[in-house]
Amino acid sequence: MRRVTRAQLEADVLRKLEKRQVKVNCKHAEDSLDIEQEWKTARKTRPLQTVLAALKGMMGARERCMYCLDSHGTDIEHFWPKTPYPEKMFVWPNLLLCCTECGRLKGDRFPLAEDQPLLVDPTAENPWLHLDFDPITGNVVARFDAQANDWSPKGLKTVEVLQLDRREALAAGYRKTFLRLSALVERSLATVAPTAADLMASLREVDDHGLLDWCFLGSGQTVRPFSKLRKNHPQVWAQCVASLETSVGL
């Protein structure tokens, strides 16, 4: 998983979404709202087709699922599910792109703590603040918060709901990406004078699963060969970190 920068929709599309949301809110207040029919009808319209295209564009050429980053994103996902929360049905920041598997697993499940989501929204936060990666198994797991001396509640629930630690094909994809990233770092370490710009360009090219943030900003910085790069080439390391911090808004 990785932080996703939300695109800006055209003003006309936003107005049409807002208009639909007002209509939904009125029907909901009158107890006459058929949520599934309302969404099915809206999905055929040009504004929602534009929304889907924008979400796919946010995920690059491969149009990966925003939750797992392993499968193709197939449809619009409501972060706050539309059935319990119809008031967010056409709210742009609530719309994500997900694959069939993640959509099936999440469904209408949406755990809260004091009215705040316990699931990671990759368009609103850096997922690796709550998640961790096991380079041996390839599983995505909850991050341990040393300050709180406990596992991240948001990480625990996100892993539980999306079964990020129980999907073999997903783990295999994450592990393959980690091995590719590691090989590039090893190759860079073998050069006389590695440069951060060249290294980051190569790493980003193969980072299909958003692991760079984990490798340089998270627990991965203590794992070889990233720990070796940090020790042997501190300036290169610092430049790589700065590049990633800028991209995730830290």
Side-chain angles (χ1 to χ4, degrees):
M1 196 179 287
R2 70 165 183 264
R3 175 70 184 266
V4 178
T5 301
R6 185 167 288 277
Q8 293 291 325
L9 290 181
E10 293 181 2
D12 182 58
V13 176
L14 287 173
R15 281 195 298 269
K16 289 176 179 177
L17 290 179
E18 291 169 2
K19 185 176 180 180
R20 282 196 171 272
Q21 188 61 61
V22 169
K23 181 180 177 182
V24 165
N25 293 345
C26 289
K27 287 185 177 182
H28 186 47
E30 297 168 354
D31 199 26
S32 62
L33 177 63
D34 184 332
I35 294 174
E36 294 304 325
Q37 185 58 48
E38 196 76 33
W39 181 252
K40 183 179 180 180
T41 300
R43 277 292 285 110
K44 300 175 183 178
T45 64
R46 183 170 296 178
L48 268 294
Q49 292 173 2
T50 301
V51 166
L52 180 58
L55 291 170
K56 289 182 175 181
M58 288 160 57
M59 297 309 294
R62 297 188 181 182
E63 300 176 355
R64 297 291 183 97
C65 170
M66 291 181 179
Y67 288 132
C68 71
L69 276 183
D70 191 65
S71 300
H72 182 72
T74 56
D75 207 352
I76 298 172
E77 143 76 3
H78 293 82
F79 181 64
W80 292 73
K82 65 182 184 299
T83 299
Y85 306 100
E87 68 276 12
K88 296 181 182 293
M89 189 185 301
F90 296 103
V91 176
W92 170 232
N94 191 49
L95 305 180
L96 306 179
L97 181 74
C98 80
C99 66
T100 302
E101 181 73 358
C102 286
R104 180 186 66 80
L105 291 169
K106 180 173 177 284
D108 291 336
R109 299 175 66 188
F110 198 68
L112 300 171
E114 298 180 353
D115 296 326
Q116 295 301 310
L118 279 177
L119 297 182
V120 171
D121 178 356
T123 68
E125 57 198 323
N126 180 3
W128 297 111
L129 295 176
H130 308 284
L131 301 173
D132 210 339
F133 171 68
D134 184 341
I136 297 176
T137 65
N139 286 329
V140 175
V141 297
R143 180 181 178 182
F144 186 79
D145 187 338
Q147 291 185 338
N149 195 34
D150 202 355
W151 305 99
S152 163
K154 187 172 285 192
L156 286 171
K157 282 299 180 182
T158 299
V159 170
E160 175 189 330
V161 170
L162 298 175
Q163 297 184 15
L164 298 178
D165 60 344
R166 290 190 286 164
R167 294 161 62 177
E168 291 185 11
L170 181 64
Y174 270 80
R175 177 154 172 76
K176 179 180 283 188
T177 290
F178 175 73
L179 292 176
R180 287 175 176 171
L181 295 173
S182 297
L184 287 173
V185 171
E186 290 284 11
R187 189 182 306 168
S188 182
L189 286 167
T191 64
V192 177
T195 66
D198 289 343
L199 176 58
M200 287 304 298
S202 299
L203 291 172
R204 283 193 166 107
E205 183 68 25
V206 301
D207 186 24
D208 290 336
H209 294 85
L211 284 174
L212 280 180
D213 292 342
W214 177 82
C215 293
F216 285 90
L217 306 177
S219 306
Q221 60 187 288
T222 65
V223 177
R224 290 177 64 92
F226 300 93
S227 59
K228 187 176 179 181
L229 178 67
R230 184 184 185 189
K231 178 181 178 181
N232 293 1
H233 301 281
Q235 186 174 358
V236 172
W237 177 268
Q239 291 171 347
C240 290
V241 168
S243 175
L244 289 167
E245 287 178 338
T246 299
S247 66
V248 298
L250 295 179

